[in-house]
Amino acid sequence: MRDDGTTAQDPRPALRADCGQCFGLCCVALPFSRSADFAIDKDAGKPCPNLAGDFRCGIHTRLRETGFTGCTVYDCFGAGQRVSQETYGGVDWRSGSPRLAREMFDVFPVVRQLHELLWYLNEALALPAARPVHPDVRRVLDRTEELARLTPDELAALDVGAHREKVNKLLLRTSELVRAGTGRGGKKDRRGADLMGARLKGADLRGVSLRGAYLIAADLTGADLRGADLIGADLRDTDLTDADLTGAFFLTQPQLNAARGGAGTRLPESLTRPGHWTPGD
């Protein structure tokens, strides 16, 4: 057992994008609009002009410099390779029929949502304080995995929202148990709070629920976020320089990718320090 409660068999590393096994699905299936995150407009189902013939990004090493910061933030939680290699057995959208391509683009975001839920459920199982709900979590995790293996027609008809509600009830209970273990759980609930641009430098946020909180451009330099619930928190341009996120839970790689940080930012072992973070940030 590691310090963050995960084990050597932790399956979450597999729930990350493996672009080499994907047919560039996020570069085609998803729409984006010209903004601070994207340099151009692109409709859903239309290939990004930067997508090469081998399904690789032609400007991958220059995405931020060329106005495609949003691409560096996104992560499909491994849904891209699953849809490409398992759901469609290695048949790509270019070589298949137009109908197959449209179907694949519809299925991809469904599987992406299921894989995100798998990330949270696997993390819940890795949290010792959540042992009272582990049996229920395992059952729902197994069901989520079953759903991700459905046929394309079944996935297209799936009510992901209804399943997400079932998962969320368990994640809420998990949060209560873990935060209670910090001795501060329940005392500070900032769920959905509007903290955009908030000055929280050095703040003691241990055991605080920040579920769905808006922390856009907030100053969290040196803040203590150990044992904080960060599921769904908007961390775009949040300054996490020298913040302590060890023990923070339900934090994902896309959230970190959207934030700013540096060499002094302490992270859970299951996550990777974003490449655009520099010691000078």
Side-chain angles (χ1 to χ4, degrees):
M1 184 75 69
R2 298 192 297 229
D3 290 342
D4 66 349
T6 62
T7 66
Q9 291 76 40
D10 185 357
R12 281 175 293 166
L15 293 170
R16 290 199 182 98
D18 182 351
C19 298
Q21 295 299 311
C22 178
F23 300 134
L25 292 181
C26 65
C27 305
V28 187
L30 307 179
F32 50 73
S33 301
R34 185 189 297 269
S35 63
D37 292 323
F38 297 101
I40 60 174
D41 295 320
K42 189 191 82 65
D43 295 330
K46 180 181 178 180
C48 174
N50 299 310
L51 185 65
D54 60 357
F55 302 110
R56 299 288 184 132
C57 176
I59 59 168
H60 179 71
T61 59
R62 298 180 289 111
L63 284 167
R64 285 183 170 266
E65 295 89 330
T66 51
F68 289 88
T69 299
C71 297
T72 68
V73 171
Y74 182 80
D75 192 295
C76 71
F77 294 95
Q81 61 259 33
R82 179 167 218 154
V83 171
S84 298
Q85 304 301 331
E86 295 183 29
T87 311
Y88 287 91
V91 178
D92 67 77
W93 52 270
R94 281 180 176 150
S95 60
S97 67
R99 176 185 175 280
L100 180 142
R102 289 192 298 270
E103 181 184 84
M104 188 179 291
F105 301 153
D106 288 340
V107 164
F108 169 64
V110 174
V111 177
R112 197 266 184 192
Q113 290 184 68
L114 293 171
H115 272 221
E116 182 179 8
L117 295 178
L118 286 172
W119 175 277
Y120 294 135
L121 290 165
N122 276 294
E123 180 164 8
L125 285 179
L127 295 168
R131 284 194 183 98
V133 295
H134 280 178
D136 290 333
V137 171
R138 288 191 185 92
R139 282 193 289 272
V140 174
L141 187 152
D142 289 343
R143 177 55 180 160
T144 306
E145 181 62 38
E146 289 174 2
L147 293 175
R149 293 197 298 265
L150 292 174
T151 66
D153 286 344
E154 291 170 329
L155 284 164
L158 181 65
D159 186 348
V160 182
H163 184 67
R164 182 181 288 274
E165 281 299 312
K166 295 177 183 177
V167 173
N168 192 50
K169 289 178 182 178
L170 282 175
L171 299 183
L172 280 169
R173 180 58 181 146
T174 297
S175 177
E176 292 168 356
L177 290 168
V178 174
R179 292 187 298 114
T182 67
R184 300 164 61 86
K187 295 181 179 179
K188 291 187 177 181
D189 190 342
R190 303 306 304 273
R191 184 178 181 182
D194 184 353
L195 297 170
M196 290 191 290
R199 298 177 180 178
L200 297 168
K201 184 175 182 178
D204 183 355
L205 298 171
R206 289 174 295 164
V208 175
S209 175
L210 290 164
R211 295 171 64 89
Y214 297 95
L215 287 157
I216 302 169
D219 181 2
L220 288 172
T221 56
D224 191 343
L225 289 148
R226 289 175 294 171
D229 180 352
L230 290 167
I231 193 168
D234 194 333
L235 301 181
R236 284 177 291 169
D237 204 32
T238 304
D239 193 345
L240 297 174
T241 302
D242 295 330
D244 190 349
L245 291 151
T246 55
F249 58 99
F250 297 152
L251 176 66
T252 64
Q253 195 64 47
Q255 287 172 291
L256 281 184
N257 293 346
R260 293 183 289 124
T265 307
R266 283 154 286 183
L267 303 175
E269 290 186 22
S270 59
L271 299 175
T272 302
R273 193 175 305 276
H276 64 278
W277 287 12
T278 67
D281 279 349

